[in-house]
Structure formats: C-alpha cells, structure tokens
C-alpha cells in the first residue's frame, strides 16, 4: 500500500507554532526523494488551497502568499518524511492540513498530486 500519514495538528493560540509531519510508506515511496511533496489545507466551507510545495531533486520551494515568512517546508528523505513548520499562526490558518505527493514533480500548485494523506486538524484560537 501507499500511505501518507500526517501528524502534529492540534489546538494552538494565535501567535503560536506547530510542526506538522507527513510520513510516507509503501512500495511506491521506496525512493521518496523522487517525489515532490506539498501541503494543502481546507477550512470549513472553503475550497482546498495550496499552502506550500517542495520539488524533487532540487528541493525548490513554493509558498502561498498567505503563509510566506511564517511557514517553512522541509524534508528528510532518509526518514521518508516532509515537515511543515508553522509559526505566528493566525485564526485564519485553521483548517485540515493534508500532504500530497507527485512523482518527479515541481512542487507547485498547478501540478496533479497522485497521493494524498487523510489530513490533520489545525485549530488556531484568537
């Protein structure tokens, strides 16, 4: 099986920080470094939106304007894991955050991501 499992979500006050993790497992992810990874989020009543992506091989990163300077994506290919460090959180960051994978992808919002995790809830209180 192919699995992407997110963790690290929770309830935090505005201005606080959280670090999300997304662990990949399964035969497909034997070479995790071949995958671009991205984080998306979906708030209640809203469409899913791209948050940030990281490309395969070059690790180029692409951020949504709304999170630039506050969020940081990173990856540890030895652990088959991608991280999302979220600082200076705002109530409008409240959403279900999901990670996604795209083989040989650029990590940009326009790509079609083949694999998705179930998501982890992030709630930011004011």
């Amino acid at each position: 099986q192919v699995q992407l499992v997110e963790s690290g979500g929770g309830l935090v006050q505005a201005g606080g920080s959280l670090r999300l993790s997304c662990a990949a497992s399964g035969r497909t992810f034997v070479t995790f470094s071949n995958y671009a990874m991205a984080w998306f989020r979906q708030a209640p009543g809203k469409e899913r939106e791209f948050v940030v992506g990281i490309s395969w091989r070059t690790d180029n990163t692409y951020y949504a304007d709304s999170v630039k300077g506050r969020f940081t994506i990173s990856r540890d290919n030895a652990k088959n894991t991608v991280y999302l460090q979220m600082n200076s959180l705002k109530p409008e960051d409240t959403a279900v955050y999901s990670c996604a994978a795209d083989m040989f992808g650029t990590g940009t919002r326009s790509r079609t991501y083949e694999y998705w995790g179930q998501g982890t809830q992030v709630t930011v209180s004011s």
Side-chain angles (χ1 to χ4, degrees):
Q1 290 119 309
V2 171
Q3 267 195 314
L4 294 174
V5 179
E6 301 94 338
S7 61
L11 173 64
V12 64
Q13 287 189 330
S17 298
L18 282 174
R19 189 174 86 149
L20 306 183
S21 299
C22 171
S25 62
R27 207 175 302 176
T28 296
F29 290 112
V30 167
T31 310
F32 181 70
S33 58
N34 284 348
Y35 286 83
M37 300 298 295
W39 288 93
F40 289 77
R41 67 186 181 186
Q42 187 165 21
K46 294 188 176 181
E47 291 190 356
R48 184 172 63 197
E49 66 171 340
F50 174 88
V51 177
V52 58
I54 184 166
S55 68
W56 83 287
R57 189 168 60 86
T58 59
D59 287 352
N60 291 332
T61 56
Y62 305 90
Y63 291 87
D65 288 343
S66 58
V67 306
K68 275 181 185 174
R70 300 188 298 121
F71 290 12
T72 304
I73 190 171
S74 61
R75 65 191 301 162
D76 185 338
N77 291 331
K79 295 183 178 180
N80 282 17
T81 300
V82 65
Y83 303 98
L84 181 62
Q85 178 66 45
M86 305 187 295
N87 298 328
S88 302
L89 282 161
K90 305 175 182 180
E92 51 264 43
D93 294 319
T94 295
V96 174
Y97 285 72
S98 300
C99 65
D102 173 27
M103 181 179 269
F104 304 132
T106 57
T108 54
R109 72 181 69 223
S110 61
R111 295 284 296 183
T112 298
Y113 289 81
E114 298 107 343
Y115 304 103
W116 292 81
Q118 292 294 314
T120 185
Q121 176 71 46
V122 171
T123 304
V124 184
S125 63
S126 56

